[in-house]
Amino acid sequence: MSKINILVIADHPEILETIIRLINQNEEWNGIGAGSLEEAVASLELNKFDLVLLGVGVDAQTEERILNLCNVKHPAIPCHRHYGGGSGLLYSEIRYALAGG
Amino acid sequence: MKNAVLHPASSRFFADHGWLQSAQTFSFHGNYDPARIQFGALRVLNDDTVYGGKGFGRHPHDNMEIISIPLKGSLEHQDSMGNAAVINPGEIQVMSAGTGIYHTEFNKNQDQPVSFLQIWLYPDKLNVAPRYGQTDYSKGDRHNRFQQILSPDPNDQGVWIHQQAWFHLAEMDAGIEIEYALKKEGNGVYVFVIDGMVEVNGETLQQRDGYGFWPEGRTVIKALEKSNVLLIEVPEKW
C-alpha cells in the first residue's frame, strides 16, 4: 500500500525535523520537509502530495503563494495550518485534514 | 441551549504513560475524535498528573498559547529562552510559543505527584516572539466571586496571552450564585469544575466535567455544593 505523502513547510529547522520524525512514526505516512518557499515549490513540482501542512514561520504572503500553487497545480491537495510544533495536535490535524475537514 | 457542548469527566480521553496520567477533554496526541477538536480558540484541556521526579523532557512548541495551572504539587520549568522557574498551586504559567520554543516541565518533588491543568489556546497572531510568564494569584479574592487570572492585556490582572481570552477562578460555597459578564461580546464560555458540583444553564456539572456554550443572556453559575470552578472565555473565530 502506498504511503500518504505529507509536505510540511516551516522555517525552524529543529521543529521541522521534529514534525517530520513524528509523522514518519506512523508507518502509513511519509513526511517531507521544506524549510522555505523555494524548497516547498520545488517539492510540489517534483512530488505528489496528499496533504500540505503550513508550520511555523510561514507568513501570510508565503501561505497565499502556497495556497495559490496548490489550487492551480494540485487542487485536490488539502492545505492546513499546523499549530503547536510537536506531537500534541499533529496527529489530529492530519487525520482531520485527510478526512476532508 | 444552542451550540452548547457538555463534556462529562468520564467522556474524556485517558492516557496512561506510566509516569503521566492524562485526562484529555479534546483530541490530543494519539487520541482523536472529530467531534472533540476544540471549543472556539480553546484547543487543549488536559488534566495531568506526573509522578515524583518525572516529567516532560525537552520538546518544542510553536504558535500556541500554553497555560499551566498547578492544582497540587510543584512543577519545575526550564526553556530555551533561559527561563527556570517553579510553579505551585496559586500560580499560573503561560508560554507564548510563537516562532518556536523548547522546554521541559518536571515534577519538582521526588516523593509526591504534581497535578496540573495544561491548557492550549490558538493565538490570534502567528509567529510572535516567544515569551514566558508566571504570576501568583493566591492572594486575590475568589471566594464567591470570580478572580481574573488571565487576559489579553499585559496591564490587566493575571498573566496575558495573544488571544481575546480571559480565565477566571472562583471558590464557591454551597448555594451561592455568581453571574459572569462576558468581557467581549460574541465570545463563548467554557466552565470546568475543578471540584464540587455546579449548575449552569440547567446543566448539572460535577468534578472535572466541562460545559461550553455561547451565551445568549445572563450567565449564572450556581454551586450545588462547595466548588472550585475555572471559567474560560474564548472567541469562536479570530
Side-chain angles (χ1 to χ4, degrees):
Chain A
M1 192 177 78
S2 62
K3 291 190 175 188
I4 292 167
N5 289 310
I6 302 169
L7 175 63
V8 183
I9 308 164
D11 79 349
H12 190 302
E14 282 182 277
I15 290 180
L16 181 57
E17 187 182 333
T18 299
I19 294 170
I20 296 301
R21 178 174 51 79
L22 291 167
I23 288 173
N24 289 335
Q25 283 177 358
N26 185 319
E27 59 186 21
E28 295 177 359
W29 298 346
N30 178 45
I32 294 176
S36 66
L37 174 63
E38 291 71 26
E39 283 182 35
V41 169
S43 258
L44 283 163
E45 296 282 357
L46 286 173
N47 304 292
K48 183 178 180 300
F49 289 100
D50 302 286
L51 171 64
V52 175
L53 290 179
L54 306 172
V56 65
V58 175
D59 58 23
Q61 193 178 1
T62 303
E63 179 174 356
E64 190 178 343
R65 290 187 63 181
I66 295 291
L67 289 175
N68 284 340
L69 184 63
C70 285
N71 284 338
V72 171
K73 294 214 166 202
H74 313 280
I77 304 177
C79 235
H80 284 253
R81 269 273 168 202
H82 164 63
Y83 289 88
S87 65
L89 310 186
L90 185 65
Y91 300 146
S92 290
E93 290 172 339
I94 292 172
R95 289 182 194 179
Y96 190 75
L98 292 176
Chain B
M1 170 165 276
K2 187 182 173 185
N3 294 328
V5 288
L6 175 63
H7 298 142
S10 61
S11 74
R12 298 178 296 175
F13 301 104
F14 291 92
D16 181 353
H17 297 283
W19 60 276
L20 165 69
Q21 308 285 321
S22 182
Q24 302 157 354
T25 297
F26 300 101
S27 299
F28 192 79
H29 193 52
N31 293 318
Y32 175 66
D33 176 352
R36 293 282 280 264
I37 299 289
Q38 67 200 86
F39 177 75
L42 172 60
R43 177 61 185 83
V44 171
L45 174 46
N46 289 355
D47 182 1
D48 288 348
T49 297
V50 174
Y51 291 123
K54 306 292 186 184
F56 299 88
R58 186 175 185 270
H59 63 283
H61 289 294
D62 66 51
N63 287 324
M64 191 58 65
E65 303 297 302
I66 298 172
I67 298 109
S68 295
I69 304 175
L71 302 176
K72 184 182 172 189
S74 301
L75 198 58
E76 187 166 28
H77 166 93
Q78 289 189 20
D79 65 44
S80 51
M81 293 183 294
N83 296 297
V86 174
I87 53 168
N88 299 295
E91 295 178 301
I92 178 171
Q93 173 202 79
V94 62
M95 278 196 313
S96 295
T99 55
I101 186 172
Y102 276 79
H103 75 128
T104 62
E105 303 291 338
F106 272 81
N107 186 339
K108 170 75 174 164
N109 299 306
Q110 296 289 330
D111 58 350
Q112 58 176 301
V114 57
S115 298
F116 63 102
L117 301 178
Q118 184 185 171
I119 303 168
W120 296 14
L121 271 66
Y122 288 108
D124 61 7
K125 294 184 192 72
L126 290 173
N127 304 318
V128 299
R131 185 179 60 85
Y132 175 85
Q134 70 179 69
T135 195
D136 183 336
Y137 66 80
S138 63
K139 302 288 195 295
D141 184 7
R142 58 191 171 280
H143 182 226
N144 293 330
R145 66 189 296 273
F146 282 117
Q147 178 192 2
Q148 181 179 298
I149 59 169
L150 177 145
S151 82
D153 183 352
N155 298 312
D156 207 345
Q157 292 176 323
V159 291
W160 70 278
I161 62 169
H162 293 281
Q163 185 52 275
Q164 293 299 303
W166 288 262
F167 287 11
H168 288 79
L169 285 170
E171 295 173 358
M172 305 173 69
D173 294 331
I176 291 291
E177 290 187 1
I178 312 178
E179 182 167 354
Y180 179 76
L182 278 182
K183 298 290 186 179
K184 187 174 182 187
E185 194 171 343
N187 274 359
V189 168
Y190 195 90
V191 176
F192 184 74
V193 182
I194 295 171
D195 53 54
M197 181 163 54
V198 304
E199 183 181 289
V200 189
N201 296 337
E203 295 284 356
T204 298
L205 310 179
Q206 305 197 47
Q207 181 171 309
R208 293 332 203 240
D209 287 351
Y211 177 64
F213 57 101
W214 305 94
E216 294 169 343
R218 295 172 68 226
T219 295
V220 177
I221 290 90
K222 180 180 181 181
L224 302 177
E225 59 185 51
K226 187 174 172 61
S227 302
N228 285 311
V229 173
L230 170 65
L231 189 148
I232 300 171
E233 176 181 335
V234 286
E236 181 178 17
K237 297 183 187 307
W238 55 94

